[in-house]
Amino acid sequence: MPPNPDVPTIPTTRRFSQYYVPQAVYLGLDVQRCSKSNMVSYAISVHDGSYTTDFYTGEFEVKANKKCESDCLEEGLHKLLEVVKQYSMAQHYKVQLIALSNTLYESYYAAGEDPPFTAASAFWRELDAIPYHVHTHGDTQDERASAAVRKAVIWMSPQYPGNIPRVCVGYRHEVEVDFNGMIHMVDLIDYERTVCRDTWRVLNEMASKYKERKLTVSFFNSTPQGGGVALMRHALLRLYRLMHLDVHWFVARPKPEVFDITKRKFHNVLQGVAPPDVRLNEHDKQTFIDWSNENVDRFWSKEGGPILESDVIVVDDPQLVGIIPHIKRLNPKCRIIFRSHIEIRADLIRDYPEGPQAETWNFLWQFIKHADLFVAHPMDNFIPDVVPRRNVVLMPATTDPLDGLNKPLSPWVTEYYQSVFNRICMDQGANEVDWSRPYIVQVARFDPSKGIPDVLESYRLLRAKLSAEGIDDYNTPQLVICGHGSVDDPDGTVIYEQTHRTLQKTEFAAISLDIIAARLPPSDQLLDLILSNARVALQLSHREGFEVKVTESLHKGVPIVAYQAGGIPLQIKAGVDGFLEKIGDVEGVAQRLYELVTDDNLHAQMGAAAKREVTEEYFTVWNSINWLHMSLELTNEPGLDSGSKGLLDEEATYARNSQMGNTQMLSAFWRKQYSYSGLT
């Protein structure tokens, strides 16, 4: 029998250009199990972003042992995944989202019961399709599939590459992570596979205690998107939701004039990268205080709001410290954690008590001192002298192994994002990447602290070395500088334009076409692509807290050359998985790049070591354990008004904190308490 041309999994006979970008489509999917047979029927509705364009129906048989529902489910999910995969490949489509109406596991598990694995997580992992659960009420499968995708499409951003979910900030400015759970990218079993058995045991023991105590924890920071804080919070709450824990995340109402102050006169000044004449004035201080008061009064202080309802509140960056006195006043029983996530130049505060760093810090300290626990990156110079070490714990930043930044990308998906990356470059008037050639990359915001001028100069020196050695153009690496922006970062456009002006200088004329500088939309997969396929990664920050991009590069097996800045030396084993050079030593960086570009054996050894040395300590599960442990230990006396003066009441607060502190790694406390024998 000849093949049926209407069957969607029959490959098309059309030919495509090498510059072709696969068409982005959005799918609705409804699955139904026949109660009288082993057959499963499905309906696929195709949407082009504007309207429904087509639909297909079909069925397959599930023959697994009916005595084991999980076996039936696993076989059914595998066949369903293959149907969608074959369909997208045959039609040359890049599936951006799959809106699931009825899902297969509903046929095998009772309502409210969590299945061990889902089709949604498989679609995310295998097809890079954002999976939405959208309940609809159509009479037929094709109606339900069509309704599901029509709803889901409006929740996507129109930005490239077409699969960026809109940021969802709801009532009281709460961040509704993954559209309040409608997006289901991962299952608990996926997280379990990222850690050893004993780590998973500890997490579940803590989660059980947390539920028994009926605790509520709320995180506060300035923005739901852009920067490491937001990335970590999305991953953390994603895992906590899967575990049914009562945890929330709130962000402030954005105000550009405030963000200009907090970026240039808080962040940049404390890091020591601002011009010496940039200082806080009284108007700046009052503007910040008024904005903090407004957010508390408008969103968070009323009955049922997070300040009154939370047992623990985490203030996740200096931009929100103005709310701390309000928390103490409105809910004295609530314990407050302040997390300092940037490199604070404690040495400049100490050595220049009248300088801009001391002035900014002293203003912020009047709020921070009311907190109960100070969390810092594991670097002593990040902690100003006035902070009592008795009430300080250390905790590194983490990244998520399952999100778009770190998951493996298939060859088909990789080619798609390569095309999208170059389209973005073209639209910005930047050079495009030649993917057939090697490249060196620095992924970072366009920020004064990220050392972008040093990246350019190091690359120029490298090119001179390679030219002198007669290395041909095909084996000469390109340079890619890229990163996301953030709504609370006014420096991005300024530094981006400065970078392109630098490329117009005479000394870069011969190599400027091989330098690609692009500001990317908030697509994690674009960063995953560019890091995963790099020959070498750079991180030439002059000031840095604990750079998750270093962790991500090493996790992908990409050797890294970085400056000895902030917490970066704690992440790289010099000479093993990367190289560390003194800040400003562009000659040294160029030499290390030359070695990694020309010595394949060295590159292979360091790449293998990079994968080996990155442990689960720097991923989401450990981060979730750390926050659970702090929350449990700070509330060991539930209902008791602390009556303390926060960090200034050093010994009383230390006792209330279950003796956590003394600038020790937080993990040391729970390792001992839970007899942890996993990671050594």
Side-chain angles (χ1 to χ4, degrees), residues 396-401 405-406 531 539 546-558 560 567-568 570-572 577 610-611 613-620:
T398 58
T399 189
D400 191 85
L405 285 166
N406 295 294
L531 274 177
Q539 197 56 245
F546 200 92
E547 181 51 73
V548 293
K549 287 294 170 285
V550 171
T551 301
E552 289 162 3
S553 299
L554 297 175
H555 176 59
K556 300 173 194 304
V558 178
I560 191 161
I568 291 177
L570 299 176
Q571 300 174 263
I572 297 172
D577 52 15
K611 283 188 175 182
E613 296 295 336
V614 176
T615 68
E616 61 186 56
E617 182 178 3
Y618 301 113
F619 295 116
T620 297

Side-chain angles (χ1 to χ4, degrees), residues 440 462 465-466 535-536 559 561 575 578-579 581 587-604 606:
I440 297 162
L462 168 67
K465 289 176 179 289
L466 295 175
R535 175 76 180 190
V536 186
V561 180
F579 293 109
E581 300 298 323
E587 292 276 3
V589 171
Q591 177 58 34
R592 297 305 191 185
L593 289 174
Y594 176 82
E595 294 169 12
L596 287 167
V597 166
T598 59
D599 190 336
D600 290 339
N601 288 332
L602 174 66
H603 182 271
M606 282 198 160

Side-chain angles (χ1 to χ4, degrees), residues 217-329:
V217 172
S218 297
F219 289 84
F220 288 80
N221 79 308
S222 60
T223 173
Q225 188 178 71
V229 174
L231 288 170
M232 285 193 291
R233 291 303 147 256
H234 279 283
L236 183 70
L237 267 74
R238 186 174 297 131
L239 174 55
Y240 283 163
R241 178 180 287 112
L242 291 171
M243 303 190 78
H244 306 292
L245 302 179
D246 188 13
V247 182
H248 304 268
W249 173 20
F250 299 88
V251 292
R253 184 174 69 88
K255 198 170 187 178
E257 57 265 44
V258 174
F259 288 158
D260 187 72
I261 294 168
T262 58
K263 180 59 170 66
R264 300 185 196 277
K265 298 185 178 182
F266 287 9
H267 191 284
N268 291 356
V269 166
L270 289 174
Q271 286 194 319
V273 298
D277 60 336
V278 174
R279 302 186 72 130
L280 272 178
N281 56 47
E282 293 306 312
H283 176 73
D284 297 331
K285 295 175 183 178
Q286 193 59 50
T287 300
F288 174 75
I289 291 171
D290 291 344
W291 176 70
S292 302
N293 296 344
E294 177 189 347
N295 277 284
V296 169
D297 295 340
R298 185 172 179 179
F299 302 117
W300 304 325
S301 63
K302 295 180 176 61
E303 184 177 353
I307 288 181
L308 295 178
E309 297 298 321
S310 298
D311 299 290
V312 177
I313 285 178
V314 180
V315 177
D316 229 352
D317 59 38
Q319 289 159 300
L320 267 292
V321 297
I323 74 171
I324 294 177
H326 292 283
I327 301 169
K328 278 290 186 185
R329 172 176 56 85

Side-chain angles (χ1 to χ4, degrees), residues 337 454 546:
I337 301 171
D454 289 15
F546 200 92

Side-chain angles (χ1 to χ4, degrees), residues 10 50 57 67 97 152 171-172 187 194 234 254 267 305 374 408 425 432 464 553 564 572 619 653:
I10 298 296
S50 297
T57 60
K67 294 181 180 179
L97 72 77
Y171 184 48
R172 296 193 176 103
D187 300 318
T194 67
H234 279 283
H267 191 284
F374 190 103
C425 292
E432 300 172 41
S553 299
Q564 298 170 4
I572 297 172
F619 295 116
T653 299

Side-chain angles (χ1 to χ4, degrees), residues 478-613:
Q478 305 157 91
L479 173 66
V480 180
I481 306 171
C482 62
H484 294 163
S486 177
V487 297
D488 64 342
D489 183 4
D491 286 323
T493 299
V494 175
I495 303 301
Y496 178 65
E497 293 299 335
Q498 286 178 359
T499 301
H500 278 280
R501 282 196 292 272
T502 300
L503 296 181
Q504 304 304 313
K505 293 181 178 180
T506 304
E507 57 266 37
F508 287 95
I511 62 173
S512 62
L513 292 179
D514 279 346
I515 301 176
I516 299 94
R519 293 187 77 185
L520 302 179
S523 167
D524 291 346
Q525 292 93 314
L526 285 172
L527 297 186
D528 191 355
L529 158 81
I530 204 70
L531 274 177
S532 297
N533 297 282
R535 175 76 180 190
V536 186
L538 287 171
Q539 197 56 245
L540 301 189
S541 300
H542 286 219
R543 298 286 174 257
E544 196 60 77
F546 200 92
E547 181 51 73
V548 293
K549 287 294 170 285
V550 171
T551 301
E552 289 162 3
S553 299
L554 297 175
H555 176 59
K556 300 173 194 304
V558 178
I560 191 161
V561 180
Y563 279 158
Q564 298 170 4
I568 291 177
L570 299 176
Q571 300 174 263
I572 297 172
K573 292 191 175 182
V576 177
D577 52 15
F579 293 109
L580 290 167
E581 300 298 323
K582 293 180 179 179
I583 295 174
D585 185 5
V586 291
E587 292 276 3
V589 171
Q591 177 58 34
R592 297 305 191 185
L593 289 174
Y594 176 82
E595 294 169 12
L596 287 167
V597 166
T598 59
D599 190 336
D600 290 339
N601 288 332
L602 174 66
H603 182 271
Q605 290 171 6
M606 282 198 160
K611 283 188 175 182
R612 185 175 62 248
E613 296 295 336

